[in-house]
Coordinates of all heavy atoms in Angstrom, one line a residue:
L284 N 0.8 -1.2 0.0 CA 0.0 0.0 0.0 C 0.9 1.3 0.0 O 0.5 2.3 -0.6 CB -0.9 0.0 1.2 CG -1.9 1.2 1.4 CD1 -2.9 1.1 0.2 CD2 -2.6 1.1 2.7
A285 N 2.0 1.2 0.7 CA 2.8 2.4 0.8 C 3.8 2.6 -0.4 O 4.5 3.6 -0.4 CB 3.7 2.3 2.1
R286 N 3.8 1.7 -1.3 CA 4.7 1.8 -2.4 C 4.3 2.9 -3.3 O 3.1 3.2 -3.5 CB 4.8 0.5 -3.2 CG 5.4 -0.7 -2.5 CD 5.4 -1.9 -3.4 NE 5.8 -3.1 -2.7 CZ 7.0 -3.4 -2.5 NH1 8.0 -2.7 -3.0 NH2 7.3 -4.5 -1.8
P287 N 5.2 3.6 -4.0 CA 4.9 4.6 -5.0 C 4.1 4.0 -6.2 O 4.2 2.8 -6.5 CB 6.2 5.1 -5.5 CG 7.2 4.8 -4.4 CD 6.7 3.5 -3.8
A288 N 3.3 4.8 -6.8 CA 2.5 4.4 -8.0 C 1.6 3.2 -7.7 O 1.2 2.5 -8.6 CB 3.5 3.9 -9.1
V289 N 1.1 3.1 -6.4 CA 0.1 2.1 -6.1 C -1.2 2.4 -6.7 O -2.1 1.5 -6.8 CB 0.1 1.9 -4.6 CG1 -0.7 3.0 -3.9 CG2 -0.6 0.5 -4.2
A290 N -1.5 3.6 -7.1 CA -2.8 4.0 -7.6 C -3.2 3.2 -8.9 O -4.3 3.0 -9.1 CB -2.8 5.5 -7.9
Y291 N -2.2 2.9 -9.7 CA -2.5 2.1 -10.9 C -1.5 1.1 -11.2 O -0.2 1.3 -11.1 CB -2.6 3.1 -12.1 CG -2.8 2.3 -13.4 CD1 -4.0 1.7 -13.7 CD2 -1.7 2.0 -14.3 CE1 -4.2 0.9 -14.8 CE2 -1.9 1.3 -15.4 CZ -3.1 0.7 -15.7 OH -3.3 0.0 -16.8
R292 N -1.9 -0.1 -11.5 CA -1.1 -1.2 -11.9 C -1.8 -1.9 -13.0 O -3.0 -2.3 -12.9 CB -0.8 -2.2 -10.8 CG 0.0 -1.6 -9.6 CD 0.0 -2.5 -8.5 NE 0.8 -2.0 -7.3 CZ 0.9 -2.6 -6.2 NH1 0.3 -3.7 -5.9 NH2 1.6 -2.0 -5.2
P293 N -1.1 -2.2 -14.1 CA -1.8 -2.9 -15.2 C -2.1 -4.3 -14.8 O -1.5 -4.9 -13.8 CB -0.7 -2.9 -16.3 CG 0.6 -2.7 -15.6 CD 0.3 -1.8 -14.4
P294 N -3.1 -5.0 -15.5 CA -3.5 -6.3 -15.1 C -2.4 -7.3 -14.9 O -2.5 -8.1 -13.9 CB -4.5 -6.7 -16.2 CG -5.0 -5.4 -16.7 CD -3.9 -4.4 -16.6
P295 N -1.4 -7.4 -15.7 CA -0.4 -8.4 -15.5 C 0.3 -8.2 -14.1 O 0.7 -9.2 -13.4 CB 0.6 -8.3 -16.7 CG -0.3 -7.7 -17.7 CD -1.2 -6.8 -17.0
V296 N 0.6 -7.0 -13.8 CA 1.3 -6.7 -12.5 C 0.4 -7.0 -11.4 O 0.8 -7.6 -10.4 CB 1.7 -5.2 -12.4 CG1 2.3 -4.9 -11.1 CG2 2.8 -4.9 -13.5
R297 N -0.9 -6.7 -11.5 CA -1.9 -7.0 -10.4 C -2.0 -8.5 -10.2 O -2.0 -9.0 -9.1 CB -3.3 -6.4 -10.8 CG -3.3 -4.9 -10.7 CD -4.7 -4.5 -10.4 NE -5.7 -5.0 -11.4 CZ -6.0 -4.3 -12.6 NH1 -5.4 -3.2 -12.9 NH2 -6.9 -4.9 -13.4
R298 N -2.0 -9.3 -11.3 CA -2.1 -10.7 -11.2 C -0.8 -11.3 -10.5 O -0.9 -12.2 -9.6 CB -2.3 -11.4 -12.5 CG -3.7 -11.1 -13.1 CD -3.9 -12.0 -14.3 NE -3.2 -11.6 -15.5 CZ -3.6 -10.8 -16.4 NH1 -4.8 -10.2 -16.3 NH2 -2.8 -10.5 -17.5
A299 N 0.3 -10.8 -10.8 CA 1.6 -11.3 -10.2 C 1.6 -10.9 -8.7 O 2.0 -11.7 -7.8 CB 2.8 -10.7 -10.9
V300 N 1.2 -9.7 -8.4 CA 1.2 -9.2 -7.0 C 0.2 -10.0 -6.2 O 0.5 -10.4 -5.1 CB 0.8 -7.7 -7.0 CG1 0.5 -7.3 -5.6 CG2 2.0 -6.9 -7.5
E301 N -1.0 -10.3 -6.8 CA -2.0 -11.1 -6.0 C -1.4 -12.5 -5.7 O -1.6 -13.0 -4.6 CB -3.2 -11.2 -6.9 CG -4.1 -10.0 -6.9 CD -5.4 -10.2 -7.7 OE1 -5.8 -11.4 -7.9 OE2 -6.0 -9.2 -8.2
A302 N -0.7 -13.1 -6.6 CA -0.1 -14.4 -6.4 C 0.9 -14.3 -5.3 O 0.9 -15.2 -4.4 CB 0.5 -14.9 -7.7
V303 N 1.7 -13.3 -5.3 CA 2.7 -13.2 -4.2 C 2.1 -12.9 -2.9 O 2.5 -13.5 -1.8 CB 3.8 -12.1 -4.6 CG1 4.7 -11.9 -3.4 CG2 4.5 -12.5 -5.9
E304 N 1.2 -12.0 -2.8 CA 0.5 -11.6 -1.6 C -0.2 -12.8 -1.0 O -0.3 -12.9 0.2 CB -0.4 -10.4 -1.8 CG 0.2 -9.1 -2.2 CD 0.9 -8.4 -1.1 OE1 0.8 -8.8 0.1 OE2 1.6 -7.4 -1.3
A305 N -0.8 -13.6 -1.8 CA -1.6 -14.7 -1.3 C -0.7 -15.8 -0.8 O -1.1 -16.5 0.2 CB -2.4 -15.3 -2.5
R306 N 0.5 -16.1 -1.4 CA 1.4 -17.1 -0.9 C 2.8 -16.7 -1.0 O 3.6 -17.2 -1.8 CB 1.1 -18.4 -1.7 CG -0.2 -19.1 -1.5 CD -0.2 -20.5 -2.1 NE 0.1 -20.4 -3.6 CZ 0.6 -21.5 -4.3 NH1 0.9 -22.6 -3.7 NH2 0.9 -21.4 -5.6
P307 N 3.3 -15.8 -0.2 CA 4.7 -15.3 -0.3 C 5.7 -16.4 0.0 O 6.8 -16.3 -0.4 CB 4.7 -14.2 0.7 CG 3.6 -14.4 1.6 CD 2.5 -15.0 0.8
E308 N 5.3 -17.4 0.7 CA 6.2 -18.5 1.1 C 6.4 -19.5 -0.1 O 7.3 -20.3 0.0 CB 5.7 -19.3 2.3 CG 4.5 -20.2 2.0 CD 3.1 -19.4 1.9 OE1 3.1 -18.2 2.0 OE2 2.1 -20.1 1.8
H309 N 5.6 -19.4 -1.1 CA 5.7 -20.3 -2.3 C 7.1 -20.1 -3.0 O 7.6 -19.0 -3.1 CB 4.6 -20.0 -3.3 CG 4.6 -20.9 -4.5 ND1 4.2 -22.2 -4.4 CD2 5.0 -20.7 -5.8 CE1 4.3 -22.7 -5.6 NE2 4.8 -21.8 -6.4
P310 N 7.7 -21.2 -3.5 CA 9.0 -21.0 -4.1 C 8.9 -20.4 -5.5 O 9.0 -21.1 -6.6 CB 9.5 -22.5 -4.2 CG 8.3 -23.3 -4.2 CD 7.3 -22.6 -3.3

């Protein structure tokens, strides 16, 4: 949330971020 440019992220970035946020422990 505190990162710069959080107001807009294109869909591919959002999908990758969602994957990481959901399971950061995944290899």
Side-chain angles (χ1 to χ4, degrees):
L284 183 64
R286 292 179 189 277
V289 73
Y291 174 74
R292 293 172 181 173
V296 174
R297 290 204 304 270
R298 288 193 288 267
V300 165
E301 285 182 21
V303 175
E304 296 283 352
R306 292 193 302 159
E308 74 282 3
H309 182 74

